[in-house]
Amino acid sequence: MGSMPEISVRAMTPAEFDHWNESTVHELAAVNVAAGNWPADEAVDRARQSRLERLPDGVDTADMLFLLGLRPDSTPIGFLWIGLKHPRGVQDCAFLYFIEVTEAHRGSGYGRALLQAGEQAVRARGLSSLELNVFGANTRAVHLYETAGYTVVTQQMRKPL
């Protein structure tokens, strides 16, 4: 395992947020259709509604961090969305809603570097833990989180009947 690439993170601008939000609404719809949670014909509307409920003030929603990951030459390599208040009220624990490395930069250690930058941003704001959800079928992400020290706290299971 080589050294991690050097990155920094900064807050997304409103324009970057709008672009990120629109493109990831479609990803959110697709993963929920694939997981069998939402019917395809309603998925994009449900994803938009879910985002509006979670982010009533968009990029300015209180206690939310929208971070852009950058290489030293300022090339964007990925995105983070972290809530500083846990959605189920867990004390002293932030919640990672979204992490993504742009397609061109995958497989080069940027995911781990971006995750670490997110953890540092949470610590810098005085919180001592970070929680996330990951779809079981996303084995690459599961492996990243396990090797970065995350452990399962709750687990949903489903069987098709």
Side-chain angles (χ1 to χ4, degrees), residues 90-150:
V90 178
Q91 288 304 296
D92 197 28
C93 184
F95 194 85
L96 179 65
Y97 287 99
F98 184 93
I99 180 171
E100 184 178 51
V101 172
T102 56
E103 203 140 349
H105 294 95
R106 289 181 191 156
S108 308
Y110 285 110
R112 190 170 301 276
L114 196 56
L115 183 60
Q116 200 170 69
E119 292 167 357
Q120 286 166 349
V122 168
R123 266 198 308 272
R125 285 158 178 85
L127 297 168
S128 68
S129 58
L130 179 61
E131 188 176 299
L132 56 87
N133 284 341
V134 59
F135 285 103
N138 191 347
T139 50
R140 198 163 156 188
V142 170
H143 177 74
L144 168 64
Y145 300 135
E146 285 174 348
T147 57
Y150 288 76

Side-chain angles (χ1 to χ4, degrees), residues 41-137:
D41 60 343
E42 296 173 13
V44 172
D45 286 342
R46 284 199 190 192
R48 280 213 171 89
Q49 187 55 38
S50 157
R51 277 286 167 83
L52 277 174
E53 287 166 10
R54 182 88 55 207
L55 304 174
D57 299 314
V59 73
D60 296 320
T61 301
D63 298 313
M64 295 293 183
L65 302 178
F66 301 100
L67 303 174
L68 182 65
L70 301 165
R71 286 197 324 210
D73 67 2
S74 297
T75 305
I77 57 90
F79 307 92
L80 289 161
W81 166 21
I82 297 171
L84 297 174
K85 287 207 161 86
H86 192 284
R88 290 185 310 283
V90 178
Q91 288 304 296
D92 197 28
C93 184
F95 194 85
L96 179 65
Y97 287 99
F98 184 93
I99 180 171
E100 184 178 51
V101 172
T102 56
E103 203 140 349
H105 294 95
R106 289 181 191 156
S108 308
Y110 285 110
R112 190 170 301 276
L114 196 56
L115 183 60
Q116 200 170 69
E119 292 167 357
Q120 286 166 349
V122 168
R123 266 198 308 272
R125 285 158 178 85
L127 297 168
S128 68
S129 58
L130 179 61
E131 188 176 299
L132 56 87
N133 284 341
V134 59
F135 285 103

